[in-house]
Amino acid sequence: DAGVTQSPTHLIKTRGQQVTLRCSPKSGHDTVSWYQQALGQGPQFIFQYYEEEERQRGNFPDRFSGHQFPNYSSELNVNALLLGDSALYLCASSPRLAGGGPSYEQYFGPGTRLTVT
Amino acid sequence: GQNIDQPTEMTATEGAIVQINCTYQTSGFNGLFWYQQHAGEAPTFLSYNVLDGLEEKGRFSSFLSRSKGYSYLLLKELQMKDSASYLCAAPANQAGTALIFGKGTTLSVSS
């Protein structure tokens, strides 16, 4: 049973460029959350998707956008990259509760290390 | 406001017991999580406490006091492989399942 997968593993971009990161959730999970983790810090919530819609959003600018596909996989897009966007980007997937909402139980992928120069 | 505090670093020796503390302030309460993260790897789930008290799971135990906004992770019989960052996290609010994390406690276990 494959866990959460993310691609690419590492990425180097230049200031002002745009980047797309990808995530495939764990089998049976339909909710995907994205987090940014700067060096030496805890993960910070960016946004969450289920049923192909953004359901919750953290304190991140509109340069950060996302998408969820019918197969539950997800993309994170960042426009106009800044040096401060250099971080580990983590994707986490969650199963749906019997009552219908997403579970608090989150499984993290290995992350994409983004370096902006 | 929402805030999670935990010590930045801790050191211990193999075979010892270590307690990592966490204090939190969140909008409402829907439980408290502990994750382990080895350098360069993804966080992995350790525990989830919703009710007050101690929950034991092998060498790891987690304690919660909702009235004090306090939790701790207890690691027994420390091994070198326990050297990692330990993250305390809680749901950001009652409207969804987004988690807010503390900055993490880096534990170094020496022989």
Side-chain angles (χ1 to χ4, degrees):
Chain A
D1 176 25
V4 180
T5 60
Q6 293 186 242
S7 63
T9 306
H10 296 87
L11 202 52
I12 300 174
K13 289 286 190 178
T14 305
R15 273 180 300 176
Q17 287 188 316
Q18 179 264 343
V19 69
T20 297
L21 310 182
R22 295 176 176 82
C23 170
S24 290
K26 185 177 168 64
S27 178
H29 290 189
D30 61 359
T31 301
V32 172
S33 302
W34 286 92
Y35 292 81
Q36 180 195 66
Q37 187 175 23
L39 205 59
Q41 303 292 314
Q44 278 196 289
F45 175 74
I46 303 175
F47 41 54
Q48 182 181 80
Y49 280 83
Y50 65 89
E51 295 180 347
E52 300 180 50
E53 289 190 19
E54 183 181 293
R55 300 294 179 169
Q56 267 191 293
R57 188 178 182 92
N59 189 25
F60 278 79
D62 292 345
R63 298 187 297 110
F64 290 76
S65 63
H67 188 77
Q68 185 178 36
F69 299 93
N71 66 353
Y72 309 127
S73 66
S74 176
E75 287 182 350
L76 163 65
N77 301 293
V78 187
N79 294 323
L81 284 166
L82 303 174
L83 294 179
D85 296 331
S86 294
L88 180 67
Y89 287 85
L90 294 163
C91 170
S93 73
S94 314
R96 188 64 66 90
L97 294 172
S103 165
Y104 286 118
E105 183 182 2
Q106 300 193 26
Y107 294 80
F108 285 85
T112 294
R113 173 72 63 187
L114 173 65
T115 302
V116 182
T117 61
Chain B
Q2 300 174 70
N3 196 44
I4 294 183
D5 285 319
Q6 50 182 131
T8 304
E9 293 182 344
M10 298 185 72
T11 59
T13 54
E14 270 188 305
I17 299 173
V18 71
Q19 177 175 311
I20 303 174
N21 297 322
C22 169
T23 57
Y24 64 89
Q25 286 180 301
T26 57
S27 304
F29 180 77
N30 278 305
L32 194 115
F33 295 80
W34 283 96
Y35 283 83
Q36 180 191 59
Q37 186 176 28
H38 285 100
E41 298 182 11
T44 54
F45 171 81
L46 289 177
S47 68
Y48 175 42
N49 292 62
V50 179
L51 301 177
D52 290 350
L54 185 69
E55 290 201 9
E56 299 185 67
K57 194 184 293 184
R59 294 189 299 116
F60 292 7
S61 303
S62 55
F63 172 84
L64 176 67
S65 169
R66 288 174 294 173
S67 62
K68 295 181 180 177
Y70 168 70
S71 172
Y72 67 72
L73 181 69
L74 192 71
L75 292 77
K76 305 175 187 175
E77 301 170 14
L78 281 173
Q79 302 174 10
M80 298 290 283
K81 67 178 182 179
D82 297 328
S83 294
S85 178
Y86 291 86
L87 298 160
C88 179
N93 54 60
Q94 292 181 307
T97 60
L99 295 178
I100 58 170
F101 284 82
K103 292 184 178 181
T105 299
T106 300
L107 173 66
S108 299
V109 180
S110 59
S111 56

